[in-house]
Amino acid sequence: MTNPPVAASTDDSEKLSLSTKLAYGAGDAGSGITVTILTFSLMVFFTNVAGLDPRTAGNILAIGKVWDAINDPIVGVMSDRTQSRWGRRRPWMIFGAIPFGLFFFLQWLVPQFTSDPAANKVWLFWYYVLVSILFNTAFTAVNLPYTALTPELTKDYNERTSLNSFRFAFSIGGSILSLLLGLVIFNIVTDPIQEYVVLGAVCAILSVFPIYWCVWGTRERYTVDAEPSLPILEQIKIVLSNRPFLYVIGIYLCSWLAFQLTATILPYFVVNRMEMGSYFPIALAVQGVAIVMLFVWSAVSKRQGKRTVYFLGMSLWIIAQGGLFFLQPGQTLLLYVLAAMAGVGVATAYLVPWSMLPDVIELDELRTGQRREGIFYAFLVFLQKISLFLALFIVGQALGQAGFVEATPGQSPPPQPESAIEAIRWMIGPIPTVVLILGLVLAYFYPITREVHAEILLKLRQRREAQTPSEG
């Protein structure tokens, strides 16, 4: 008689209370709030409120993303080595939460350093670069140790899955809440600068408190030794030798580059092309539908497979993305329809590449006999930041080349020349569409089908059974 799998049941000593799970999940609410607002709003804030040239604005955001990629491994190593009466992870959250909220808020101020407009723009550039670096450092100091808490709260497979479900719920809730707040605040406050100051302040406060809820509502029960870090060239060799992972990289990069391009240019498209007062309702339509469809696609994936889900979702997204190019001012209802269709596809960008990753890791285990999740996950997270960097750089450079007219601080955005409007249309329509089609082609050739994956799991199970001594 064999023992049941570890994942089949949960020992009573491993079960976590509802209060612990709620506290843990709350730790990601701040990330959901801040990342959503920054993704949709910071670029347009720089050009339409702070009065920066779009190329300058894009460079500020790109510098922040480059630093974000650099500080991740630094904080990760320091977090692993931390020793305190609060454990290894929670001290970072305790001392990082306030700077996290403060530097998020400071990004939405437009300080006046000098009366000379040209000189003031130079000062503003360095101010926002500094604040961006400090915010990304504080974000990593809070979020990376938070994500590392899961294995230190429980060793049980089911309980870890449950913890991440709570985390997912709070992150989604924070994302929706931030867009609703933007919609409400922008309807109440009329001053262009004060709109973002109020939104930044409210979101900063709402982002900090859940972090302390997580800190005081959880207790680290285990110490998980970090795996020895391989040299970077060895990591690259491992990644490049796994052909299915290269497809996952391409699919993920195409999906997220298209999403980040759309999210960055969407405010300009809604305000300058469609002549609507606020872009928050459209952003809410995209994200709201995407979140609902995550659960729908997850269920479909179990029956039809990941590639089928990706093809269905991407097809709708491609139609919607291409359709945006042809929209005329006043076609508001059609804009909402296309936004909802895009949201159906965006859900697959969240779901499919991440769900493909465990398949790739299991194939690597079958070939090498080792589990190396850290290397593969690290590369995918790095690619997410690269896609954001590329999107911000492309949008900033394209708007600048097209003659986009930045606003004077404190005044309403000026009318844009036809060349800038055309650039906006191309960046929300044909360019993301081409990128999505490329991702679709890569998904077609992705080699791990449902049948191949079942065979991988069977071989792994047979190997483990052969390595496990039989019981009398």
Side-chain angles (χ1 to χ4, degrees), residues 127-174:
Y127 168 79
Y128 290 125
V129 166
L130 177 61
V131 173
S132 179
I133 289 174
L134 292 173
F135 170 74
N136 280 296
T137 302
F139 181 91
T140 301
V142 169
N143 194 255
L144 194 149
Y146 165 75
T147 58
L149 265 179
T150 306
E152 301 188 1
L153 294 176
T154 179
K155 293 181 179 179
D156 185 80
Y157 177 90
N158 289 331
E159 289 299 276
R160 287 183 179 182
T161 302
S162 179
L163 280 175
N164 281 299
S165 297
F166 278 83
R167 174 189 174 188
F168 186 59
F170 273 93
S171 181
I172 290 175

Side-chain angles (χ1 to χ4, degrees), residues 40 44 48 183 262-286 324 327-332 335-336 339 404 413 416 421 424-425 428:
F40 283 102
V44 74
N48 287 8
L183 183 61
T262 304
T264 304
I265 203 66
L266 180 67
Y268 298 100
F269 180 77
V270 172
V271 173
N272 298 111
R273 167 61 177 171
M274 299 303 294
E275 300 174 358
M276 296 172 61
S278 174
Y279 55 88
F280 281 104
I282 306 301
L284 191 58
V286 175
L324 291 172
L327 278 186
Q328 301 296 318
Q331 295 180 315
T332 306
L335 174 58
Y336 276 102
F404 184 91
Q416 296 299 327
I421 299 298
I424 291 169
R425 292 178 65 211
I428 203 164

Side-chain angles (χ1 to χ4, degrees), residues 182-201:
L183 183 61
V184 171
I185 290 170
F186 275 52
N187 281 332
I188 296 174
V189 182
T190 56
D191 181 83
I193 293 180
Q194 290 303 313
E195 286 175 339
Y196 284 98
V197 170
V198 174
L199 179 61

Side-chain angles (χ1 to χ4, degrees), residues 120-374:
N120 197 63
K121 287 185 179 181
V122 175
W123 279 102
L124 283 175
F125 170 79
W126 290 111
Y127 168 79
Y128 290 125
V129 166
L130 177 61
V131 173
S132 179
I133 289 174
L134 292 173
F135 170 74
N136 280 296
T137 302
F139 181 91
T140 301
V142 169
N143 194 255
L144 194 149
Y146 165 75
T147 58
L149 265 179
T150 306
E152 301 188 1
L153 294 176
T154 179
K155 293 181 179 179
D156 185 80
Y157 177 90
N158 289 331
E159 289 299 276
R160 287 183 179 182
T161 302
S162 179
L163 280 175
N164 281 299
S165 297
F166 278 83
R167 174 189 174 188
F168 186 59
F170 273 93
S171 181
I172 290 175
S175 175
I176 295 295
L177 175 62
S178 66
L179 293 173
L180 287 172
L181 285 170
L183 183 61
V184 171
I185 290 170
F186 275 52
N187 281 332
I188 296 174
V189 182
T190 56
D191 181 83
I193 293 180
Q194 290 303 313
E195 286 175 339
Y196 284 98
V197 170
V198 174
L199 179 61
V202 173
C203 287
I205 293 169
L206 292 176
S207 298
V208 168
F209 279 110
I211 296 171
Y212 286 113
W213 180 8
C214 178
V215 167
W216 305 125
T218 58
R219 291 291 181 273
E220 296 162 79
R221 304 167 66 190
Y222 302 100
T223 299
V224 180
D225 294 330
E227 296 180 6
S229 179
L230 294 174
I232 185 64
L233 291 179
E234 183 66 24
Q235 295 186 39
I236 293 174
K237 182 180 177 181
I238 291 170
V239 167
L240 294 181
S241 66
N242 191 312
R243 190 169 68 92
F245 184 60
L246 298 182
Y247 282 99
V248 174
I249 286 175
I251 294 166
Y252 187 74
L253 189 57
C254 289
S255 301
W256 275 96
L257 179 57
F259 174 75
Q260 297 292 357
L261 277 170
T262 304
T264 304
I265 203 66
L266 180 67
Y268 298 100
F269 180 77
V270 172
V271 173
N272 298 111
R273 167 61 177 171
M274 299 303 294
E275 300 174 358
M276 296 172 61
S278 174
Y279 55 88
F280 281 104
I282 306 301
L284 191 58
V286 175
Q287 289 292 83
V289 171
I291 287 163
V292 172
M293 288 303 301
L294 276 173
F295 301 98
V296 176
W297 286 134
S298 180
V300 175
S301 177
K302 293 176 182 178
R303 293 177 175 270
Q304 303 297 328
K306 297 160 190 174
R307 282 203 308 181
T308 300
V309 164
Y310 192 78
F311 273 98
L312 291 172
M314 284 297 121
S315 298
L316 283 174
W317 191 0
I318 288 169
I319 293 171
Q321 205 79 50
L324 291 172
F325 179 77
F326 300 99
L327 278 186
Q328 301 296 318
Q331 295 180 315
T332 306
L333 178 60
L334 186 54
L335 174 58
Y336 276 102
V337 171
L338 294 177
M341 289 175 61
V344 173
V346 167
T348 62
Y350 283 106
L351 181 67
V352 174
W354 286 107
S355 64
M356 287 178 170
L357 192 55
D359 304 346
V360 170
I361 293 169
E362 285 157 350
L363 176 62
D364 182 65
E365 181 185 4
L366 182 62
R367 290 174 174 175
T368 66
Q370 300 179 51
R371 293 284 294 188
R372 299 185 283 207
E373 291 97 334

Side-chain angles (χ1 to χ4, degrees), residues 413-470:
Q416 296 299 327
E418 188 60 30
S419 58
I421 299 298
E422 281 301 300
I424 291 169
R425 292 178 65 211
W426 275 89
M427 281 187 291
I428 203 164
I431 294 176
T433 301
V434 170
V435 175
L436 290 173
I437 291 173
L438 177 59
L440 210 57
V441 172
L442 292 172
Y444 178 80
F445 290 103
Y446 177 65
I448 303 181
T449 61
R450 294 178 70 193
E451 294 74 20
V452 171
H453 183 240
E455 184 179 350
I456 291 171
L457 292 179
L458 176 62
K459 291 179 178 179
L460 283 173
R461 184 164 60 250
Q462 290 172 343
R463 176 192 291 173
R464 289 165 186 159
E465 288 174 353
Q467 293 172 346
T468 303
S470 60

